[in-house]
Amino acid sequence: MSNIINLKIKAKYIQEYQDKYPLIQKEILENIDDLEEEGTVINLITSNNKFVARGYYGQQNKGYGWVLTYDKSEKIDTNFFTKKIKESIEHRKSFYEEAEQNITTAFRVINGEGDGLGGVTIDYFDGFYMITWYSLGIYTFKDMIVDALKTNVENSALYKGIYEKKRFNTKGQYLENESDFICGIQAPKPIIIKENNANFAIYLDDGAMTGLFLDQREVRKNIRDKYSAGKTMVNTFSYTGAFSVFSALGGAKKTTSVDLAKRSLPKTQEQFSVNKIDSDSQEIIVDDVFNYFKYAVKKQYKFDMVVLDPPSFARTKKITFSVSKDYVKLLKEAIQITNKNGVIVASTNSANFGMMKFRQFIEKAFRELNGRYKVLETYSLPKDFRVCNEFKEGDYLKVVFIKKM
Ligand code: SAH
């Protein structure tokens, strides 16, 4: 059983939490030294002991834990998690229907605080559930949450098993586990999931990443269905090549994928091959994107589409890249290798700035090159990546389709 403690909120922050801000931040707490073990249940109270909210202690880069309920009578137990997961599954009814029809069989079931469960996400991959724990604090509720998940899904014909990823340390880095398997049947390595009828090889028990970022699903579909036929494209920061695969499936003349990581080469080849595309007909380059841009500009390469989807922060031997500092520079390079009337797909998952600021980066890049452009479409998180109004930072994804005039 978890410990429970009462912690006072400083007066000036009380309103914010009464208005249901879900993240427990260090600076709002009066008697912080009373916090010892992660996983301790915290009652946030006013200076005259009035109940405000109940959550748990768990250190993450984002804060000191998350509020789970504003109802004083609600206990944090298996029942609580069962109810939360049930409600979240109901919210994804249309996704389960698409899974049954074998159209898309990978989506998010619990999106942390967006579903009222900060610090944990649960993704669905063709009958397997992948739980990601973002703090030791939430991990102390593992048995309750796994039981609650089982109660909700075990009897479904689709259910196969449960896996986990621990990303405890404050940087959200993955902790090596002998195996990430929890229960049910063991998944093949890889499993092949469907995304809008395309195939994708997913590894549930092979380190930090599964191979696919589910939040870009709609962007990939859009690239395939509307922007690829007969076009050339370059996909920078390509990881396992998901954007390239969708572009090739949409009839691209040729795709070029560029990523620094050596493993991106075989991983990308694999994703082409599970879609019956000969990867030899596509270009896959292992290189620093900044090097590649220099080379491409020098060679005067031009593409009909350039995809830019960098990590928010990356450090290589030579340079440190941070989106808010370097996106304009990146865009300027991309503009130079885009054909007139070509399209740049500019994407960022940085929670540090919003769409307004991102649009300003785009404006600045074109202005500095005396170029003209038109924004064709914008995308944010898909519906399964549920966000709550009280925590705007959770709505991190920004994607802009830009036409170079
Ligand atoms: N766009 C991808 C996800 C990108 S993840 C997708 O939709 O699937 C970020 C990727 O950037 C990682 O694969 C990492 O290896 C790569 N990366 C980071 N810094 C890089 C750099 N300077 N040059 C090339 N690739 C880089």
Side-chain angles (χ1 to χ4, degrees), residues 82-252:
T82 304
K83 243 175 40 200
K84 283 280 183 201
I85 294 172
K86 179 165 189 282
E87 194 270 333
S88 302
I89 287 175
E90 277 162 11
H91 192 77
R92 274 85 176 172
K93 199 161 170 268
S94 63
F95 288 90
Y96 279 95
E97 281 165 12
E98 285 209 355
E100 260 166 35
Q101 294 159 24
N102 214 23
I103 298 169
T104 295
T105 60
F107 55 91
R108 180 151 291 188
V109 178
I110 297 271
N111 193 38
E113 74 286 348
D115 285 289
L117 292 177
V120 60
T121 61
I122 304 180
D123 293 325
Y124 176 92
F125 292 105
D126 188 32
F128 293 98
Y129 288 83
M130 169 65 72
I131 309 177
T132 305
W133 314 100
Y134 286 91
S135 73
L136 183 59
I138 191 68
Y139 188 70
T140 63
F141 297 97
K142 173 174 169 174
D143 290 348
M144 292 182 201
I145 293 175
V146 170
D147 280 349
L149 179 60
K150 276 203 233 161
T151 304
N152 274 293
V153 302
E154 221 171 19
N155 294 323
S156 149
L158 295 173
Y159 172 76
K160 291 177 183 164
I162 303 176
Y163 281 76
E164 69 181 336
K165 301 266 179 236
K166 298 181 198 169
R167 306 185 69 141
F168 291 174
N169 80 10
T170 42
K171 291 203 184 88
Q173 246 160 30
Y174 171 76
L175 296 187
E176 284 299 334
N177 235 354
E178 198 130 299
S179 166
D180 287 337
F181 175 71
I182 297 181
C183 62
I185 61 164
Q186 298 232 17
K189 297 177 181 182
I191 56 169
I192 307 296
I193 63 97
K194 288 274 180 197
E195 187 183 275
N196 291 306
N197 298 312
N199 295 321
F200 229 83
I202 299 283
Y203 292 81
L204 298 181
D205 201 1
D206 186 26
M209 310 279 216
T210 57
L212 188 63
F213 289 101
L214 298 178
D215 54 1
Q216 297 273 17
R217 179 190 313 115
E218 291 174 353
V219 179
R220 284 188 284 269
K221 181 173 189 299
N222 199 37
I223 284 178
R224 179 189 66 188
D225 296 350
K226 282 167 55 184
Y227 291 93
S228 293
K231 308 286 191 199
T232 57
M233 75 91 86
V234 60
N235 178 11
T236 62
F237 306 95
S238 55
Y239 182 47
T240 57
F243 289 124
S244 314
V245 169
F246 270 72
S247 194
L249 287 171

Side-chain angles (χ1 to χ4, degrees), residues 10 54 110 141 146 177 182 237 263 278 321-322 384 403:
K10 291 178 188 161
R54 178 170 296 135
I110 297 271
F141 297 97
V146 170
N177 235 354
I182 297 181
F237 306 95
R263 49 144 214 234
D278 178 9
F321 173 82
S322 111
D384 50 329
K403 183 173 175 179

Side-chain angles (χ1 to χ4, degrees), residues 74-87:
E74 194 160 45
K75 283 209 208 78
I76 309 305
D77 55 14
T78 307
N79 233 336
F80 169 82
F81 291 112
T82 304
K83 243 175 40 200
K84 283 280 183 201
I85 294 172
K86 179 165 189 282
E87 194 270 333

Side-chain angles (χ1 to χ4, degrees), residues 213-223 227 243 305-310 327 331 343-350 353-359 362 374-382 395-403:
F213 289 101
L214 298 178
D215 54 1
Q216 297 273 17
R217 179 190 313 115
E218 291 174 353
V219 179
R220 284 188 284 269
K221 181 173 189 299
N222 199 37
I223 284 178
Y227 291 93
F243 289 124
M305 177 161 58
V306 179
V307 177
L308 278 183
D309 182 31
Y327 213 101
L331 274 165
V343 172
I344 297 169
V345 182
S347 168
T348 179
N349 58 9
S350 173
F353 54 86
M355 187 55 118
M356 278 256 270
K357 178 130 179 245
F358 194 43
R359 298 273 294 246
I362 297 167
K374 195 175 144 197
V375 169
L376 301 174
E377 305 182 68
T378 62
Y379 280 83
S380 56
L381 286 173
D395 200 0
Y396 58 85
L397 186 69
K398 296 163 277 294
V399 183
V400 184
F401 283 69
I402 310 158
K403 183 173 175 179

